[in-house]
Amino acid sequence: IADRAVAYSMPGVMVDGQDVLAVYEATVQAVQRARAGEGPTLLEARTYRYEDHSEGLNRILREPYRTEEEVARWKARDPIKLHSTWLVDQQVASEEEIETVRSDVAKTIDEALEFARQSPYPEPEDLFTDLYTDPLPAR
C-alpha cells in the first residue's frame, strides 16, 4: 500500500504496526513534513487482526483460513504487551502502574458497554445525522 503513494506525489512509509515506538516515530516524521509545508505522507502500519474478519466466518468456510500457530505467533508480538515490556525495561513505568492503566481502561470500556446496552435504539430518521452527505436522494 505504501508504494501507491508515488501515484499521488507523496512519500509512502511502511512501518511495523506492532511496534508502538516505530509507529510513533513514523507519525512524528509525517507530521513534521506536513507542518513544514511538504505535503502529506501515506503511512502503512502493518499489523494483524487476531479475530476472524467476521463472526461465524469459520462456520461458513468450514476450515479456518489461518492456523492457530499463525495467530499465536502474532499474539506473541502484541503491541500492548511489547510496549508494556519496553516501558518496564526502560523504567518509564512499573508493572503496577501498567496494571492500573489496564484496569482503568477495562472499567471505562465496561461502563461504555453498559451505557450502550441501556440506551434506546436511535430513531430510523437519525440514520444519516452528522454524515458529510445524505446518500439518499430527497423525496
Side-chain angles (χ1 to χ4, degrees):
I1 293 173
D3 292 341
R4 295 180 183 175
V6 71
Y8 300 97
S9 300
M10 71 174 84
V13 177
M14 185 174 11
V15 64
D16 179 0
Q18 303 293 102
D19 183 341
V20 173
L21 295 177
V23 172
Y24 173 78
E25 286 302 322
T27 303
V28 165
Q29 290 175 13
V31 168
Q32 288 173 343
R33 186 174 177 284
R35 287 182 178 156
E38 298 173 22
T41 302
L42 181 101
L43 293 179
E44 177 185 359
R46 304 287 307 254
T47 190
Y48 190 84
R49 178 180 24 80
Y50 303 136
E51 302 300 326
D52 288 335
H53 184 69
S54 64
E55 288 294 319
L57 185 61
N58 282 340
R59 283 180 274 152
I60 295 168
L61 295 176
R62 305 217 191 285
E63 289 185 26
Y65 60 94
R66 53 194 181 168
T67 65
E68 290 180 21
E69 292 80 17
E70 175 186 332
V71 176
R73 260 192 330 272
W74 280 94
K75 282 187 175 182
R77 294 198 64 243
D78 180 89
I80 295 172
K81 290 178 186 174
L82 292 175
H83 195 60
S84 295
T85 299
W86 183 87
L87 290 170
V88 172
D89 290 349
Q90 297 298 311
Q91 298 180 342
V92 174
S94 67
E95 289 283 353
E96 294 78 20
E97 290 169 317
I98 290 170
E99 189 50 46
T100 297
V101 170
R102 282 188 181 121
S103 177
D104 290 349
V105 168
K107 180 180 177 205
T108 299
I109 291 169
D110 289 343
E111 289 170 354
L113 284 170
E114 186 58 28
F115 174 79
R117 288 182 180 119
Q118 297 302 319
S119 296
Y121 281 97
E123 297 299 323
E125 59 268 14
D126 293 334
L127 182 61
F128 300 115
T129 301
D130 297 323
L131 289 181
Y132 176 69
T133 185
D134 187 340
L136 300 177
R139 295 182 190 180

